[in-house]
């Protein structure tokens, strides 16, 4: 019985790649230094899987940014603004596409399906001259082979690549991207030919868009593509991998009928109904790569349950055609539990990170061949029972409070227009008020202070003093810049979710449970293992201190329940909606305490609300109902004069705009500039928005500093579709990843643009 891993985390157990990337970007190390770190990480990954006994080990899943951008490089699909002149694409062009540079902005970045991982969106059109411009897939296969590991090279499939792309800025938005299939398939054929020549016996094509609601012409594109590739693929086995959801019946039929394909991979964790399709008719003689080990969560697999599932599938496809696999790439989970020396031992026994999941996959494969490790399975069964029966998981009072929520829709008593009038009388803000999203740059010194405080190397008094000094610096800077509604900069927080999870019951934390979000950006998701409540106030002390330093309004900064949920590793023993309602009640307590402390503007970030939207349209309404309801619960009890903000970023919001309106926030700040202002199109199409809204005027994920004229032009585009009395001016997102040398001039230009337009609007 064979075993397979879809993909593996690339940052390293201690974020080695993150630090190597940032050192290279800052000019402190060379390209050779970066490549040396990357090669070491790849080698250790391949060796680990080989030592465990995995048969189908992936290569080309390692990336310096993301796998879609790797494919853009492979195809030579570089937008003209980067002045690429051909040849092998190097770091300069590659990272300019990802991050922008001093003269041109980055390409759009958006969420990878319903995960917190991001990818750079390809910009395509009829005039793109595709060429084979990155040999990364072949080079990594050869690199592994030289180390004695025969891998399965992984490519983003041609159809999914096009379906995940967008028309370039100067191309009609209705341009049929699938019409480019005939132009990119020759490049794929070149890659396939080189892989075959290098000795590859299997090639994996990731086609995750097959789990989405596709139209018939889109499904036909898969049939066409793989029929066209069939002769090129002759002599090599082909796996087409899907993940993240059930595959629809029509897509299953299309997939399992593809020409020249030897095996099909399915997510059987999030796609349990796919098992019925397999039982209803799986093609004879084909391999089934059964994704029974969860690649998106950190809970130990229920080995007995998975073994039972696999045995039922074995009876359908045959013993020699069943391959045990992960549900998706392990990119979405933490790297290795062995690094968690301080984690509670009982909770630790319930968990499995990427390294442990590799062992689970192999243990299940061996068990199917009669080589069951009885001690390993017994320990797993004991941990499963422990988790179900542990008193630390269940809190009856919390469960009752959450159950009581279901009798109301929790709307504020007054409509948003009346609330905004009451708030303006109290706040007295100018037209086009300026603000930022929350965080300010996290300096080396600030990180040192937090690290030493956690390690008990400095006293609470010294920590308190240092954080207040940082807040005061941020407040004074904003006053000098003449920003209208201030933030305290969040110097006490390493992460917007981790900070709150550390203060809520039902959460556990890791020391090294890092997961890549994009580029070098890593997050350390909390683990929600039990019922959630708030023992004590979490932000009131720092928000009150910040407000005492200025006469301008100071935002209280909170992370919303849906975002805390979607950016955590969530318990899988109850519906996600139940956990979200529990978090909402905890945040509600915090909102009301902030209001009592005199904070008149409170931002409840829901950056991840869109991210959690199910991939299938039939499931949208249920998710949006409980997600939006959870947000409203948090602020239903505040006065009309308390202004509730929310923030969203880096997703496509146009298809959920009515749900955003239904959140009933007073003001929403929302990413806009990096996505080519596509958000504004929904207002051009006639959607009426009566609350305050701040579409971002510049991209904070790029070091590039926008000019005053550029920002003014963006604001004018907003004024063409939004009323001036509801428009706010702000960056796309928080500023923690930037340096002060970038932040200060960008904000100066933002405020200057705003003042110029206020004068024009006033004279008009």
């Amino acid at each position: 019985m064979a075993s397979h891993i879809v993909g593996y985390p690339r940052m390293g157990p201690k974020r080695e790649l993150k630090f190597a990337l940032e050192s290279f970007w800052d000019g402190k190390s060379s390209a050779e230094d970066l490549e040396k770190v990357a090669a070491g990480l790849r080698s250790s990954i391949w060796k680990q899987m080989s030592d465990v006994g995995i048969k189908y080990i992936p290569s080309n899943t390692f990336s310096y940014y993301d796998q879609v951008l790797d494919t853009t490089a492979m195809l030579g699909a570089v937008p003209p603004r980067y002045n690429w002149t051909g040849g092998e694409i190097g770091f300069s062009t590659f990272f300019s596409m990802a991050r922008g540079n001093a003269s041109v902005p980055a390409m759009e970045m958006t969420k990878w399906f319903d995960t917190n991982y991001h990818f750079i969106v390809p910009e395509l059109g009829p005039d793109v001259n595709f060429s084979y411009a990155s040999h990364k897939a072949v080079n990594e296969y050869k690199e592994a082979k030289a180390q004695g590991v025969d891998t399965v090279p992984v490519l983003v499939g041609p159809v999914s690549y096009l379906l995940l792309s967008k028309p370039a800025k100067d191309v009609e938005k209705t341009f049929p991207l699938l019409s480019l299939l005939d132009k990119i398939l020759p490049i794929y054929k070149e890659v396939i030919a080189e892989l075959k020549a290098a000795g590859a016996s299997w090639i994996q094509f990731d086609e995750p868009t097959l789990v989405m609601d596709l139209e018939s012409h889109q499904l036909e594109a898969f049939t066409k593509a793989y029929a066209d590739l069939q002769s090129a693929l002759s002599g090599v086995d082909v796996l087409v991998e899907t993940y993240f959801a059930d595959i629809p019946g029509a897509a299953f039929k299309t997939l399992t009928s593809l020409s020249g394909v030897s095996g099909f991979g399915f997510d059987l964790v999030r796609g349990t109904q796919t098992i019925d399709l397999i039982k209803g008719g799986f093609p004879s003689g084909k391999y089934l790569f059964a994704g029974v080990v969860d690649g998106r969560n950190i809970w130990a697999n229920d080995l007995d349950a998975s073994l039972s599932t696999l045995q039922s599938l074995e009876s359908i496809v045959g013993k020699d055609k069943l391959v045990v696999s992960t549900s998706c790439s392990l990119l979405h989970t933490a790297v290795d539990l062995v690094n968690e020396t301080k984690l509670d031992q009982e909770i630790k026994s319930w968990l499995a990170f990427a390294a442990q999941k590799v062992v689970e996959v192999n243990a299940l494969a061996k068990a199917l061949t009669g080589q069951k490790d009885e001690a390993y399975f017994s320990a797993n069964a004991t941990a499963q029972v422990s988790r179900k029966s542990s008193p630390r998981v269940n809190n009856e009072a919390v469960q009752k409070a959450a159950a009581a929520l279901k009798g109301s829709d929790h709307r504020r008593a007054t409509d948003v227009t009346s609330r905004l009038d009451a708030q303006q009388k109290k706040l007295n803000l100018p037209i086009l008020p300026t603000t930022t999203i929350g965080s300010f740059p996290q300096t080396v010194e600030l990180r040192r202070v937090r690290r030493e405080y956690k390690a008990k190397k400095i006293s609470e008094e010294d920590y308190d003093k240092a954080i207040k000094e940082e807040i005061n610096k941020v407040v004074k800077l904003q006053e000098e810049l003449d920003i209208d509604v201030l933030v305290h900069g969040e110097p006490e927080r390493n992460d917007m979710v981790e900070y709150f999870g550390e203060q809520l019951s039902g959460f556990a934390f890791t020391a090294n449970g890092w997961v890549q979000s994009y580029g070098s950006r890593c997050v350390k998701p909390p683990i929600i293992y039990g019922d959630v409540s708030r023992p004590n106030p979490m932000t009131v002390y720092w928000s009150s201190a910040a407000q005492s330093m200025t006469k301008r309004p100071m935002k209280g900064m909170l992370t919303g329940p849906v975002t805390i949920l979607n950016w955590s590793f969530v318990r899988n023993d109850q519906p996600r909606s139940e956990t979200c309602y529990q978090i909402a009640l905890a945040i509600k307590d915090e909102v009301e305490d902030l209001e009592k402390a005199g904070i008149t503007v409170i931002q409840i970030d829901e950056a991840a609300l869109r991210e959690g939207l199910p991939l299938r349209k039939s499931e949208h309404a249920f998710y949006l109902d409980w997600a939006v309801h959870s947000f409203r619960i948090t602020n239903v009890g505040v006065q009309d004069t308390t202004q509730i903000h929310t923030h969203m970023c880096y997703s496509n919001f146009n298809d959920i705009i009515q749900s955003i309106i239904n959140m009933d926030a007073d003001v929403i700040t929302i990413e806009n500039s990096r996505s080519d202002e596509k958000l504004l199109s929904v207002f051009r199409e006639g959607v009426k928005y009566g609350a305050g809204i701040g579409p971002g005027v510049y991209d904070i994920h790029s070091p590039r500093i926008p000019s005053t004229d550029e920002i003014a032009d963006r604001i004018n585009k907003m004024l063409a579709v939004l009323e001036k009395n509801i428009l706010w001016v702000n960056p796309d997102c928080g500023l923690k990843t930037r340096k002060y040398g970038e932040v200060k001039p960008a904000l100066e230009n933002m405020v200057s643009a705003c003042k110029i337009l206020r004068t024009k609007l006033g004279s008009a």
Side-chain angles (χ1 to χ4, degrees):
M1 187 61 58
S3 52
H4 167 251
I5 305 297
V6 177
Y8 200 81
R10 51 185 79 126
M11 278 290 127
K14 299 288 181 69
R15 296 179 292 164
E16 291 88 344
L17 183 61
K18 168 190 171 65
F19 299 121
L21 282 167
E22 292 173 354
S23 177
F24 174 70
W25 293 337
D26 289 343
K28 296 176 181 177
S29 61
S30 67
E32 291 75 18
D33 294 330
L34 175 57
E35 289 169 341
K36 183 177 179 181
V37 171
L41 289 170
R42 287 193 296 268
S43 179
S44 66
I45 291 167
W46 293 327
K47 184 178 186 304
Q48 176 197 357
M49 286 192 259
S50 179
D51 288 349
V52 167
I54 300 299
K55 180 175 181 180
Y56 300 114
I57 297 171
S59 62
N60 198 40
T61 59
F62 187 94
S63 177
Y64 290 106
Y65 218 86
D66 78 76
Q67 68 272 29
V68 179
L69 185 60
D70 287 344
T71 310
T72 295
M74 182 185 84
L75 297 170
V78 181
R81 64 181 178 274
Y82 299 108
N83 296 318
W84 175 63
T85 55
E88 188 81 3
I89 289 175
F91 282 154
S92 177
T93 300
F94 185 83
F95 288 130
S96 289
M97 290 192 287
R99 307 176 71 240
N101 57 44
S103 57
V104 292
M107 295 166 69
E108 180 185 350
M109 181 171 70
T110 195
K111 296 290 173 73
W112 178 246
F113 294 83
D114 58 347
T115 75
N116 187 30
Y117 182 65
H118 300 66
F119 72 98
I120 302 298
V121 182
E123 301 173 12
L124 305 179
D127 298 327
V128 176
N129 293 315
F130 296 100
S131 64
Y132 187 12
S134 171
H135 292 66
K136 176 179 174 294
V138 178
N139 292 340
E140 286 191 17
Y141 174 78
K142 289 179 177 178
E143 181 184 334
K145 192 170 184 181
Q147 296 172 28
V149 183
D150 188 19
T151 61
V152 178
V154 179
L155 303 174
V156 174
V159 183
S160 287
Y161 177 78
L162 293 176
L163 291 176
L164 293 169
S165 301
K166 70 173 186 177
K169 207 164 190 176
D170 56 349
V171 175
E172 286 291 328
K173 298 306 175 190
T174 55
F175 174 73
L177 292 161
L178 288 175
S179 67
L180 299 174
L181 195 57
D182 289 336
K183 292 187 176 183
I184 69 170
L185 288 178
I187 315 297
Y188 275 88
K189 290 176 184 178
E190 289 188 68
V191 179
I192 292 163
E194 288 195 4
L195 287 170
K196 287 169 65 177
S201 56
W202 277 84
I203 299 176
Q204 175 178 320
F205 292 90
D206 281 5
E207 294 281 14
T209 55
L210 277 164
V211 305
M212 303 181 76
D213 296 308
L214 299 180
E215 298 175 11
S216 58
H217 77 279
Q218 293 170 320
L219 290 174
E220 288 165 7
F222 288 93
T223 302
K224 178 182 185 300
Y226 286 89
D228 195 324
L229 292 174
Q230 185 175 8
S231 60
L233 291 166
S234 176
V236 66
D237 281 308
V238 175
L239 164 63
V240 176
E241 183 69 50
T242 68
Y243 36 77
F244 296 152
D246 277 306
I247 186 167
F252 179 84
K253 185 176 180 181
T254 296
L255 172 61
T256 53
S257 302
L258 292 179
S259 304
V261 177
S262 314
F264 312 101
F266 300 104
D267 182 338
L268 301 183
V269 176
R270 290 183 172 234
T272 53
Q273 294 174 32
T274 299
I275 294 175
D276 294 332
L277 293 174
I278 294 168
K279 290 178 178 178
F282 191 79
S284 176
K286 301 291 186 179
Y287 289 87
L288 170 61
F289 286 70
V292 294
V293 173
D294 193 351
R296 288 189 53 180
N297 217 326
I298 43 67
W299 303 109
N301 188 272
D302 185 338
L303 295 177
D304 287 334
S306 292
L307 185 58
S308 176
T309 298
L310 290 165
Q311 287 167 338
S312 69
L313 294 171
E314 186 181 57
S315 66
I316 298 167
V317 303
K319 186 182 288 288
D320 61 332
K321 297 297 182 183
L322 181 63
V323 180
V324 183
S325 183
T326 53
S327 65
C328 62
S329 172
L330 297 174
L331 171 70
H332 308 288
T333 190
V335 179
D336 196 342
L337 196 57
V338 75
N339 296 316
E340 302 304 326
T341 57
K342 297 181 180 179
L343 193 60
D344 178 275
Q345 286 302 306
E346 182 183 31
I347 294 174
K348 191 173 180 179
S349 74
W350 304 340
L351 308 179
F353 290 0
Q356 288 69 48
K357 290 176 184 292
V358 170
V359 175
E360 289 179 338
V361 167
N362 198 59
L364 286 165
K366 291 177 72 174
L368 281 170
T369 63
Q371 302 175 64
K372 184 177 181 182
D373 185 334
E374 295 293 351
Y376 182 73
F377 271 71
S378 177
N380 175 268
T382 300
Q384 298 293 325
V385 171
S386 162
R387 186 177 164 215
K388 289 174 183 175
S389 60
S390 174
R392 67 202 309 170
V393 170
N394 301 304
N395 183 322
E396 188 176 349
V398 171
Q399 292 172 1
K400 285 183 178 178
L405 293 171
K406 294 170 184 174
S408 167
D409 64 359
H410 296 89
R411 292 183 181 275
R412 292 169 75 178
T414 311
D415 67 82
V416 69
T417 302
S418 300
R419 298 198 309 263
L420 288 172
D421 288 343
Q423 292 156 15
Q424 179 59 14
K425 288 174 184 174
K426 187 168 187 176
L427 297 172
N428 194 29
L429 298 172
I431 197 167
L432 305 181
T434 54
T435 190
T436 65
I437 305 306
S439 61
F440 265 66
Q442 300 265 315
T443 63
V444 172
E445 174 63 16
L446 182 57
R447 294 180 190 277
R448 181 192 65 78
V449 168
R450 284 203 307 262
R451 188 169 59 248
E452 290 187 354
Y453 176 63
K454 278 198 168 185
K456 296 183 169 56
K457 292 182 179 179
I458 62 173
S459 67
E460 184 157 352
E461 183 179 349
D462 288 341
Y463 174 74
D464 189 273
K465 180 183 177 184
I467 296 298
K468 284 182 178 175
E469 286 176 354
E470 183 70 19
I471 292 172
N472 191 54
K473 181 178 81 173
V474 169
V475 170
K476 293 292 180 278
L477 174 61
Q478 291 171 93
E479 288 182 330
E480 289 169 13
L481 293 168
D482 204 16
I483 291 173
D484 300 304
V485 176
L486 311 190
V487 299
H488 76 291
E490 304 177 8
E492 78 284 14
R493 308 178 194 181
N494 178 63
D495 178 86
M496 62 186 288
V497 173
E498 181 181 1
Y499 176 80
F500 291 96
E502 285 177 335
Q503 300 181 77
L504 295 168
S505 64
F507 282 74
F509 290 86
T510 64
N512 293 291
W514 297 99
V515 178
Q516 184 182 18
S517 179
Y518 62 88
S520 68
R521 169 80 171 137
C522 296
V523 294
K524 195 164 55 169
I527 298 167
I528 305 178
Y529 67 83
D531 291 328
V532 178
S533 61
R534 186 199 72 147
N536 298 296
M538 301 179 287
T539 65
V540 175
Y541 178 77
W542 298 118
S543 292
S544 298
Q547 184 63 80
S548 72
M549 298 174 188
T550 182
K551 293 182 179 179
R552 301 188 184 208
M554 174 64 63
K555 284 198 279 192
M557 298 300 304
L558 304 175
T559 302
V562 185
T563 296
I564 290 177
L565 182 88
N566 285 335
W567 286 357
S568 298
F569 290 126
V570 183
R571 57 190 294 190
N572 57 1
D573 59 345
Q574 71 176 15
R576 290 172 69 88
S577 56
E578 296 299 318
T579 303
C580 199
Y581 285 141
Q582 293 177 4
I583 302 170
L585 286 172
I587 300 300
K588 179 177 185 289
D589 291 343
E590 187 71 12
V591 168
E592 291 170 4
D593 280 349
L594 281 169
E595 185 182 57
K596 289 172 188 173
I599 305 299
T600 55
V601 181
I602 302 171
Q603 182 170 307
I604 308 167
D605 284 347
E606 284 296 13
L609 187 138
R610 173 62 174 77
E611 172 187 312
L613 191 70
L615 300 179
R616 306 287 287 281
K617 291 177 183 176
S618 60
E619 300 169 17
H620 286 189
F622 176 69
Y623 166 79
L624 289 169
D625 180 64
W626 63 255
V628 170
H629 186 191
S630 294
F631 176 82
R632 289 201 306 263
I633 288 167
T634 65
N635 59 88
V636 66
V638 301
Q639 300 173 31
D640 287 356
T641 51
T642 297
Q643 190 167 83
I644 299 296
H645 289 223
T646 192
H647 169 67
M648 296 182 179
C649 57
Y650 298 101
S651 288
N652 181 5
F653 302 105
N654 294 23
D655 56 348
I656 63 163
I657 192 66
Q658 292 301 330
S659 294
I660 292 174
I661 294 171
N662 201 27
M663 291 170 72
D664 199 28
D666 297 312
V667 178
I668 179 170
T669 52
I670 194 164
E671 180 270 325
N672 170 67
S673 63
R674 182 150 184 179
S675 58
D676 293 333
E677 299 159 349
K678 71 171 77 166
L679 170 70
L680 300 184
S681 65
V682 78
F683 302 112
R684 294 189 192 102
E685 292 162 7
V687 170
K688 298 299 180 186
Y689 195 77
I693 183 167
V697 296
Y698 78 89
D699 173 26
I700 63 85
H701 286 107
S702 170
R704 181 175 169 273
I705 298 165
S707 68
T708 299
D709 288 344
E710 180 182 330
I711 293 174
D713 180 61
R714 280 215 165 96
I715 299 171
N716 274 320
K717 289 179 181 176
M718 297 169 191
L719 287 168
V721 293
L722 294 165
E723 297 293 331
K724 63 184 179 182
N725 63 316
I726 66 169
L727 186 62
W728 284 64
V729 178
N730 46 264
D732 265 351
C733 202
L735 304 170
K736 69 183 295 183
T737 61
R738 301 269 55 87
K739 297 178 174 64
Y740 274 103
E742 300 158 350
V743 165
K744 187 174 179 181
L747 291 179
E748 282 176 342
N749 293 346
M750 183 184 85
V751 174
S752 295
C754 200
K755 288 181 175 180
I756 290 168
L757 291 174
R758 283 177 190 162
T759 301
K760 289 182 178 179
L761 290 169
S763 61

